[in-house]
Amino acid sequence: YAFIILPKIQRKAIYATYAFCRQTDDYTDSNLPIVEKTRLLRQLHAELNQSYEGEASSPIFAALQDTAQRFNIPKEYFEEIITGVEMDLTINRYQTFQDLYQYCYKVASVVGLICLEIFGYTDPKAKIYAIDMGIAMQLTNIIRDVKEDSTRGRIYIPQDELEEYGYRPEDLISQKDTPDFRALMAKQVTRAKSY
């Protein structure tokens, strides 16, 4: 509903982008074996390449092909999204915020950069804001989903910050609500707000 007010061409482009992102994310979050998830993401990559060569293989990629051409969206942006969600297949902990930042950039900031091309902009600084907004949104998702992610074995809170607050990964998985946990999460909230 948020995109209903957009002109039709931009709205369709946003829907195409969303469909691509949704499909990519769904593959990663499915209950399929990792080898099958990897195969599906490689297939997405091949389909992305085909769409940029003018040979879309499905309705989603036909729409994405039109979007990419119409708004001059670099293929690298979509490749970064695939690379980012692939990280969830092999990485379930991040040692530092700098490590986590790279993940957030790929799965969220790049989406902001794509949207920026669709919405249009004149000031190059808009890209900085799109990147920062993506980081803020992904950090907010991490805070919101900390319980769900931990049940899947994923802990996105940086390990060095867990150690700093004396809160262990096992504490997060078992959902221990302690003053240390609250202080740790307050730090995450402050960081998200800063972006």
Side-chain angles (χ1 to χ4, degrees):
Y1 291 113
F3 300 119
I4 285 175
I5 61 169
L6 288 174
K8 187 176 183 180
I9 292 171
Q10 288 177 315
R11 189 169 64 243
K12 284 185 167 188
I14 289 291
Y15 290 161
T17 301
Y18 177 82
F20 170 81
C21 292
R22 180 79 270 140
Q23 185 173 19
T24 305
D25 199 45
D26 285 349
Y27 285 164
T28 307
D29 288 339
S30 71
N31 292 323
L32 296 169
I34 287 180
V35 71
E36 180 62 11
K37 292 177 184 184
T38 302
R39 186 192 69 75
L40 288 169
L41 290 172
R42 292 225 164 89
Q43 180 182 321
L44 269 182
H45 212 222
E47 289 178 293
L48 176 67
N49 287 333
Q50 288 176 316
S51 71
Y52 268 82
E53 292 166 6
E55 301 171 10
S57 59
S58 70
I60 288 175
F61 281 96
L64 201 67
Q65 176 182 321
D66 178 69
T67 296
Q69 288 174 346
R70 189 179 300 273
F71 295 99
N72 197 29
I73 301 172
K75 182 172 69 166
E76 294 77 30
Y77 287 172
F78 294 106
E79 290 172 332
E80 290 269 25
I81 293 169
I82 296 172
T83 303
V85 297
E86 275 182 318
M87 292 171 75
D88 277 333
L89 302 183
T90 56
I91 302 170
N92 58 15
R93 305 281 193 283
Y94 292 89
Q95 185 58 38
T96 67
F97 175 67
Q98 275 310 96
D99 298 332
L100 179 63
Y101 181 94
Q102 295 306 314
Y103 171 76
C104 294
Y105 174 84
K106 290 173 187 288
V107 299
S109 292
V110 174
V111 177
L113 292 171
I114 292 169
C115 291
L116 192 62
E117 295 300 327
I118 294 168
F119 296 149
Y121 63 98
T122 54
D123 188 337
K125 287 187 278 186
K127 288 187 176 186
I128 296 167
Y129 295 124
I131 290 168
D132 285 351
M133 180 61 79
I135 299 295
M137 293 179 78
Q138 190 60 32
L139 292 175
T140 302
N141 285 347
I142 287 168
I143 293 164
R144 181 197 64 200
D145 296 340
V146 71
K147 176 181 174 182
E148 179 185 339
D149 288 333
S150 69
T151 62
R152 290 181 174 178
R154 295 181 191 158
I155 297 178
Y156 293 103
I157 307 297
Q159 298 298 295
D160 63 349
E161 294 176 12
L162 287 168
E163 291 169 15
E164 177 187 344
Y165 285 87
Y167 197 77
R168 301 170 306 151
E170 305 82 59
D171 296 333
L172 194 59
I173 292 167
S174 63
Q175 301 169 29
K176 285 190 178 175
D177 183 5
T178 66
D180 290 335
F181 171 73
R182 289 174 182 263
L184 172 66
M185 295 311 289
K187 178 173 184 157
Q188 309 311 306
V189 170
T190 299
R191 176 184 289 136
K193 284 182 177 180
S194 76
Y195 278 97

